[in-house]
Amino acid sequence: DIVLTQSPDSLAVSLGERATINCKSSQSVLHSSNSQNYLAWYQQKAGQPPKLLISWASIQESGVPDRFSGSGSGTDFTLTISSLQAEDVAVYYCQQYYSSPYTFGQGTKLEIK
Amino acid sequence: EVQLVESGGGLVQPGGSLRLSCVVSGFTFTTYWMHWVRQGPGKRLVWLSRISSDGRSTTYAASVEGRFTISRDNAENTLYLQLSSLRVEDTAVYYCARGGISPADTFFVWGQGTLVTVSS
């Protein structure tokens, strides 16, 4: 199974500042046939289901604010929130869909400093 | 509006069974792969199973293979997960999620979840 390890486990950032969350995969999720990274990012607010933010490592879902961006390739990925807003308080998960079983990172809890 | 609504959770004794349902609306159910994911209290998300759009192909996580069965009724726009031989560690919120038109795709939309508690 592919293991995803996120860092840090928790993060406190001031409003308006940048938040960066990392996700490292135990093996590459870059598919050679199409050069796509099979990596997604989700946001989960308290008491709610996860919400898809980013797919294919860097493709923003419709309706997601522009301050959310994804980057990386192969085994190392980053979710960046460029200017933290109060409504961004949540747990963020990376997920690989390169191979079954699809696996998630342990989550990063983002709070306001 | 795309909606996925799970039901069927509850309290069950170890060794017992439950059937979870996920009724979908707002999209063409027969087009998409569907998944079940669970989240134990304070724990990470864990993918459990997937089923193809026509129901002919299924895949399971090792932790539930042989105990859980995924199925779908395309005429009723409903996804199911039959849980058997339940263990205390199966206690979790169970989510259904809509995948893509191919098996290797992300989980675009999620239901609100249904809580399964396994306890004596």
Side-chain angles (χ1 to χ4, degrees), chain B residues 56-75:
Chain B
R56 295 182 179 182
S57 175
T58 59
T59 312
Y60 298 90
S63 59
V64 303
E65 184 147 30
R67 298 192 301 125
F68 292 6
T69 303
I70 191 171
S71 62
R72 64 192 293 163
D73 183 339
N74 282 349

Side-chain angles (χ1 to χ4, degrees), chain A residues 69-109:
Chain A
S69 63
S71 63
S73 185
T75 61
D76 292 279
F77 300 90
T78 300
L79 174 69
T80 301
I81 307 172
S82 60
S83 176
L84 189 71
Q85 306 298 305
E87 61 264 33
D88 300 335
V89 169
V91 179
Y92 292 84
Y93 294 93
C94 58
Q95 179 229 352
Q96 65 82 20
Y97 46 101
Y98 180 88
S99 65
S100 172
Y102 306 131
T103 48
F104 293 84
Q106 81 275 20
T108 295
K109 186 175 183 179

Side-chain angles (χ1 to χ4, degrees), chain B residues 8-20 66-69 81-87 90 116-118:
Chain B
L11 175 63
V12 60
Q13 292 187 336
S17 299
L18 277 178
R19 189 176 81 157
L20 307 182
R67 298 192 301 125
F68 292 6
T69 303
L81 187 67
Q82 178 70 44
L83 286 60
S84 304
S85 303
L86 282 164
R87 307 166 180 167
D90 293 320
V116 173
T117 302
V118 184

Side-chain angles (χ1 to χ4, degrees), chain A residues 32-86:
Chain A
S32 56
S33 65
N34 58 10
S35 299
Q36 294 282 0
N37 287 284
Y38 286 57
L39 192 286
W41 288 97
Y42 298 86
Q43 175 193 66
Q44 187 177 32
K45 296 183 178 180
Q48 296 185 18
K51 173 188 174 183
L52 178 63
L53 297 176
I54 304 284
S55 58
W56 308 109
S58 62
I59 306 299
Q60 205 176 50
E61 287 303 298
S62 175
V64 172
D66 288 344
R67 62 182 180 273
F68 291 90
S69 63
S71 63
S73 185
T75 61
D76 292 279
F77 300 90
T78 300
L79 174 69
T80 301
I81 307 172
S82 60
S83 176
L84 189 71
Q85 306 298 305

